[in-house]
Each structure stands twice: as C-alpha cells, then as structure tokens.
Amino acid sequence: MTRVKRIRLAAAATIAVAALGGVAVGSLPADGAGVVTVADAVDPAGLYNEAQSKFANGDVAGGLAALQKALTLAPADTDALALQAIWADQMEQASVSNAALSRLRVLNPLLATTARNVISGVATAAQIVPDTTPKPVSGRVAIVVLGFGLNANGKMAPELVNRVSAGKAQSEITTAAPIVVTGGAPKNGITEAAAMKTWLVENGVDTGRILTEDKSGSTVANAQNTSEILRAKGIRDIILVTSPNHIRRGAADFGATGLRVVGTLTTATDLSKYLTPLTKDQTRGIRLEATRAARIPATHQPGALPQNLPDPGPGLLTDLGGQVLKQLLDAGSSAIGSGTEG
C-alpha cells in the first residue's frame, strides 16, 4: 500500500470517528492535500437539524429523508428514531413508523412511549369536533381550562371569561374533579391563572378544588407544566376546556405529555368554522408542536454525540464508526479525494 493510500485511509477513519460526534475535521497534512473535508456532510446532528427545519417548513418527505441519512450514521440516536416514527405516521408509512418504534423500545422504552403518545394524541385531536355542552365523565379526571391573554390592566378578555365559564359549567357535571387553571403571561402583576381562579371563587367554586399553573406562556408549556402537576396527584385523564380554534392543538399537546384527553368542552366563538375533523395533511402543524410538547429536541448541537444514546456495550461505537468508514470508502474519490494509489 502506498503512502498516499495510507494517508487517504487514515483520513477516512478520522472522518468516520468524527462523524459519530459530528466533529468537523480540519485540514490534513500536506501529503493529504487531495483529501476533502466531509465531516459536515456526514454530521448526524446537522442532518437531524436539517430534518427538523424541513418538518417546520412543511416538507415532511424531505425531513424523513434527512432523518434516514442521520440514522444511517447514528442508528442509536433515539431522538431521530422518535421523529422518524412520528413523521412516518404523518405520511402513512406504517412499516417505517412501526420499525422505528420497535427499535426505540429496545434503546429507550420511555421515549418510545412518548412517540406513541404523540402519534395517538394527534390522531385523537384531529377527530375532535368542538362542543359547547358539558358531559359527564367517569373515573378520576381533572378539568383543565387553558388561559388567554389578559388585557393590559390585568382584566380578563371576553374570550377568557367564556373559557372559564365553560370550565365552571363542566365542574357542575363532574363534581369531584379538580379544576386546573393554566396560564402565566402576567399583566399588571396578575397571571391568567390567578385571574381565572379569582373569577371561579367569586362565582361560587370552592377554592379547594382549584389548582393553578401560573408559569406557562404557551400552549406547549401549559401542557408540560400541567402534566407535572397532575402526575404528582396520580391523575392522567383530563377534560380540556378552551376555544374551538384552539381545542385540537391543545389536545395534541396535552396528549404528547402522556395525559389522556377523555373529554373536551369549548366556547361558542366561531364554532361553525371548526365542525369538520382534520385530514391527515391538516395535522402537520399540530404534530410539529406536539413534538415540542413531548420535549423532543428541536435541534442537536453540531459536533456533539446525539443525546439519549444507550449504554454502547461491546462493539457498538466500533460498529457505527465502521458503517461511516465503509460509506466513505465506497464513495471513492468523491469522498476521499484523488491520488495515485500505486
């Protein structure tokens, strides 16, 4: 083997090792001048971020293609597997989604459950038809009323009054259920949750039934924070109360956290616009937000190993590096550079 070939093979091995962590490979010595830097092109983190960008821009097929490349390089990246399962479901690629979930159950069972929660939560949310009539729900359940921006003086806007009024009506049907009022975003020193609690108490609801979540500034945070409060109390089932234009997105976000939306109630605002269930194509936006509610990272840091990797065990990193090295060598001069092998 000539010196040039040895340099090229060493360069490929260096790139393969670097690709595992997405580490950019700098310039090689003068004898390796024909070798081009390709670590960025095979950086799993960069491909993961590319996929997330494509999902955010509505290019689901392109996002899945980028994820597949990332998983070829880092097959134990559990975040990428979770996204593959979730977005393959969007494209109705059941075999791809199920294969990703099966792999994920081995590597990270908890994240596999989270991915299934996102998939089922979006499917459930898509079928919700807004309804203004409270209905009885059996079992241990909580009523969750979502906040709405306060006026500058800290007073509730009319739509927030509508939401909390609907929550009170539901509480009169499910009399044992606690009521969670959720929303931060203080105005004039008053949070949405505090304003709703005050209204409920003034309108005859026992203060002991009311739980406040007053730190969130978004529906995603509403879901994440409320799920922690209810999980601590051993409650998983909720009746979600909000506006017709918000109920499906809210249900998907709460479902992604592991809560089960077993009932919904909405205000009457613009009700007629939302009486048709969503098609699969129309769920892209709520699916994207649900992945955020599930705490699946929006980005991975270039140059770092993927998060949530399992204990590698004997040979795993070697196997991964070998896959990258083989791809680079198989690519020939386009990846390694030209030179006389002799």
Side-chain angles (χ1 to χ4, degrees), residues 38-234:
V38 298
D40 287 341
V42 294
D43 176 8
L47 289 165
Y48 180 96
N49 296 344
E50 177 187 342
Q52 287 284 54
S53 177
K54 288 183 181 296
F55 294 142
N57 288 309
D59 182 5
V60 179
L64 284 170
L67 276 183
Q68 185 56 56
K69 292 177 183 177
L71 286 165
T72 299
L73 298 172
D77 183 347
T78 53
D79 290 335
L81 281 168
L83 288 177
Q84 186 180 51
I86 291 164
W87 287 104
D89 175 76
Q90 174 72 35
M91 297 293 286
E92 298 186 335
Q93 297 174 359
S95 61
V96 175
S97 181
N98 291 336
L101 286 172
S102 295
R103 175 69 172 151
L104 197 53
R105 277 193 293 270
V106 174
L107 296 172
N108 188 330
L110 183 59
L111 188 54
T113 297
T114 296
R116 288 196 300 271
N117 288 341
V118 172
I119 292 168
S120 62
V122 170
T124 298
Q127 297 305 308
I128 292 173
V129 175
D131 191 347
T132 60
T133 304
K135 296 178 177 62
V137 175
S138 60
R140 194 169 187 207
V141 64
I143 301 164
V144 178
V145 186
L146 300 186
F148 186 93
L150 300 174
N151 295 327
N153 61 3
K155 300 294 184 181
M156 292 197 297
E159 185 60 10
L160 186 53
V161 175
N162 292 339
R163 290 185 186 184
V164 74
S165 297
K168 178 178 181 293
Q170 182 65 54
S171 74
E172 293 167 353
I173 301 294
T174 48
T175 56
I179 306 167
V180 183
V181 287
T182 173
K187 295 290 181 65
N188 196 29
I190 302 169
T191 64
E192 296 166 13
M196 286 190 282
K197 180 176 181 178
T198 297
W199 187 96
L200 287 169
V201 172
E202 289 177 350
N203 284 273
V205 177
D206 183 351
T207 187
R209 286 186 69 183
I210 305 170
L211 303 173
T212 58
E213 185 291 295
D214 58 4
K215 301 294 188 294
S216 58
S218 67
T219 308
V220 165
N222 289 155
Q224 292 171 338
N225 296 345
T226 300
S227 69
E228 292 177 3
I229 291 171
L230 293 180
R231 190 175 294 115
K233 294 184 174 297

Side-chain angles (χ1 to χ4, degrees), residues 299-318:
T299 60
H300 278 176
Q301 181 181 355
L305 283 170
Q307 299 299 306
N308 296 320
L309 286 176
D311 183 344
L316 177 57
L317 290 180
T318 303

